Amino acid sequence: MTVLLDPECGFQELLAEVAAKFRESAKFWGSVQMALMLEGRRLTAEEELRIVNTITDNSGIEILCLLDNDANRIERCEKALNQKLMELSERTGQFYRGDLHRGESLESEASIVVIGDVMHGARVTARGNIIILGELRGTVHAGVAGNRNAVAAALEMAPLQIKIADVSRHFGDRGRKLGRGPLIACVENDSICTRQMKKTCLNILNFN
């Protein structure tokens, strides 16, 4: 989730506005866990903490970590998300540990997290989201029951093909990386689009 902050108003006024916004939308968000990006003004570490506390005190949101363009913070956030996904695995069971090699396939009736690499010639299929804590070089098909809101994400993306619901995109056989670092793929305007995960609303990762 990205929160745009007014660079002109006083900090106390800013906190009051953040509190009001999240109180008003608390029912919409429900109880969720997400990463947070704060944009629009420079903040000290203390100010960041106060904003995070204001959001959590006025909603059911649990902030897992803060994201920005700082490489060290991005690495820390990835570790925090990884840890949270590991905790989820104990409750959902929709996790696979290990690499998938050519000719191997994996299917899930919900969302699934692969803790490993999906190599060229391997395939992962899920009714929900597909999250790969490793490199994607094979084929993934998320939202197989027709859910175009599903996503596919990986720490490194050089896929053969990504399909979400009935929308697919072939990326060729050369294994070209689509970008640096974690990327997420989703359906926009009837096509598959990819973007950096650090600039995406991570709360869309619903593991039901």
Side-chain angles (χ1 to χ4, degrees), residues 62-140:
E62 178 186 353
I63 304 299
L64 298 180
C65 59
L66 281 172
L67 284 171
D68 58 20
N69 293 322
D70 180 85
N72 291 329
R73 176 172 282 180
I74 292 172
E75 182 180 358
R76 291 195 300 271
C77 189
E78 289 177 5
K79 289 181 179 179
L81 293 173
N82 195 349
Q83 181 179 358
K84 181 56 63 175
L85 292 174
M86 295 286 285
E87 293 173 3
L88 284 170
S89 71
E90 297 178 358
R91 299 197 296 269
T92 66
Q94 300 299 313
F95 278 62
Y96 177 86
R97 298 171 185 267
D99 298 335
L100 289 172
H101 299 279
R102 178 182 293 273
E104 295 181 327
S105 62
L106 182 65
E107 297 182 2
S108 173
E109 289 299 313
S111 295
I112 190 166
V113 175
V114 177
I115 305 173
D117 297 331
V118 178
M119 308 304 291
H120 190 281
R123 182 181 182 87
V124 180
T125 304
R127 292 176 64 91
N129 303 317
I130 297 173
I131 312 300
I132 298 169
L133 298 180
E135 189 173 27
L136 169 59
R137 289 189 171 275
T139 299
V140 293

Side-chain angles (χ1 to χ4, degrees), residues 130-173:
I130 297 173
I131 312 300
I132 298 169
L133 298 180
E135 189 173 27
L136 169 59
R137 289 189 171 275
T139 299
V140 293
H141 185 180
V144 294
N147 179 15
R148 285 194 172 192
N149 292 321
V151 300
L155 297 185
E156 294 288 344
M157 264 199 192
L160 177 65
Q161 182 183 35
I162 295 176
K163 186 173 183 179
I164 298 176
D166 59 333
V167 182
S168 65
R169 181 177 175 185
H170 194 279
F171 294 91
D173 299 325

Side-chain angles (χ1 to χ4, degrees), residues 8 10 14 24 31 35 43 50-52 58 63 83 96 115-116 120 126 132-133 138 147 168-169 176 200 202:
E8 302 297 333
L14 177 70
E24 294 170 0
S31 180
L43 298 167
R50 293 183 67 183
I51 292 174
V52 169
N58 289 277
I63 304 299
Q83 181 179 358
Y96 177 86
I115 305 173
H120 190 281
I132 298 169
L133 298 180
N147 179 15
S168 65
R169 181 177 175 185
R176 180 178 59 86
T200 303
L202 297 180

